[in-house]
Amino acid sequence: MIDLKPFENNSKVEGSQYVIDKFLPATIEGVEGTHLMRYNALNDDIEYQKEENKIFVLDKTNKKYDVVFTTNKQKFGVYEYTDIKGEMVKGFLIELYAGNVSLLKREKVKYVSEKYPKSGYEDLIPAHYERADDEFYIKSGNNILAFPKNKKALIKMYPDKKSSLDDFFKKNRVSFKNEKDIISIVAFLSSLEN
């Protein structure tokens, strides 16, 4: 059984609330069949298209869903985690790497208010949606925390693994802003947990 609630859209704002606009086939763990769905990166919702003009939102407050999009194999799950601002959140995260230590990602879109001209030489910039930086989270056991911004902060999270991490960073040039590099860091951390 899927818990659904009605979807509301503000179509007067330019841009998109989605990283991928169109509905794609997806499966929901524990629910039979394939369904047309998409992820709303502004509202952190999975939208479910029942019929051509009937769109609903999966109610993540009462259930834990695992949604896998069949075309790109992205797996979204409902998690309770501490976000970048330090607040407890229950929302959808994409599983990028699963192991003893896992990596999760929150795709983001932000709303930018309209900007009125300050002089006669400037134009009005209408309100729009804009792709924001993705947020990465590290999951160890039942704890999900924001992925650190740099090597020093990561070592502070795992002080008992300092020498192994130092060796890893000496041998590998990695960026804490590159998704593939972040995955390799988490895969290495996961290998240390065996």
Side-chain angles (χ1 to χ4, degrees):
M1 178 74 178
I2 305 172
D3 286 343
L4 300 173
K5 54 186 179 181
F7 167 72
E8 295 174 22
N9 187 17
N10 183 354
S11 58
K12 295 177 185 171
V13 179
E14 292 181 1
S16 176
Q17 300 177 23
Y18 312 94
V19 175
I20 299 172
D21 284 314
K22 63 182 177 178
F23 285 91
L24 299 173
T27 59
I28 304 170
E29 192 173 301
V31 178
E32 228 176 274
T34 302
H35 313 277
L36 289 176
M37 306 181 112
R38 67 181 174 188
Y39 177 66
N40 184 318
L42 177 74
N43 299 329
D44 187 28
D45 284 322
I46 299 259
E47 297 172 4
Y48 176 89
Q49 185 177 28
K50 270 190 126 165
E51 297 168 22
E52 187 65 36
N53 293 320
K54 290 191 178 179
I55 300 171
F56 296 89
V57 175
L58 291 182
D59 186 359
K60 64 186 174 230
T61 56
N62 298 321
K63 282 196 172 180
K64 182 178 178 352
Y65 290 103
D66 284 323
V67 175
V68 178
F69 287 90
T70 56
T71 51
N72 60 12
K73 303 297 181 214
Q74 276 191 327
K75 180 181 179 182
F76 284 80
V78 175
Y79 296 91
E80 283 192 50
Y81 61 97
T82 305
D83 72 2
I84 301 275
K85 299 173 193 164
E87 298 172 8
M88 281 304 292
V89 176
K90 188 171 188 178
F92 287 99
L93 296 174
I94 302 168
E95 184 180 86
L96 295 178
Y97 179 85
N100 295 321
V101 177
S102 298
L103 181 66
L104 306 167
K105 176 173 79 169
R106 161 82 160 89
E107 291 181 327
K108 303 236 5 175
V109 167
K110 64 182 178 181
Y111 171 80
V112 179
S113 299
E114 62 189 355
K115 186 177 175 187
Y116 292 95
K118 294 180 182 174
S119 70
Y121 297 103
E122 295 177 352
D123 293 327
L124 169 74
I125 299 173
H128 62 281
Y129 299 115
E130 187 175 282
R131 186 77 163 91
D133 291 337
D134 294 331
E135 296 173 355
F136 295 94
Y137 294 91
I138 196 165
K139 181 179 185 279
S140 183
N142 290 327
N143 295 328
I144 301 174
L145 300 169
F147 189 81
K149 298 284 183 204
N150 56 45
K151 173 173 74 170
K152 185 177 177 182
L154 181 67
I155 290 171
K156 191 174 179 181
M157 273 177 94
Y158 292 92
D160 56 325
K161 313 253 187 293
K162 182 184 182 331
S163 64
S164 298
L165 286 168
D166 282 338
D167 288 344
F168 175 81
F169 290 124
K170 282 179 190 167
K171 293 176 185 170
N172 301 283
R173 291 188 62 170
V174 291
S175 165
F176 278 70
K177 295 182 188 286
N178 180 293
E179 185 174 304
K180 286 182 181 178
D181 288 351
I182 293 170
I183 292 170
S184 71
I185 293 166
V186 171
F188 177 73
L189 272 174
S190 187
S191 73
L192 297 176
E193 294 290 319
N194 288 332

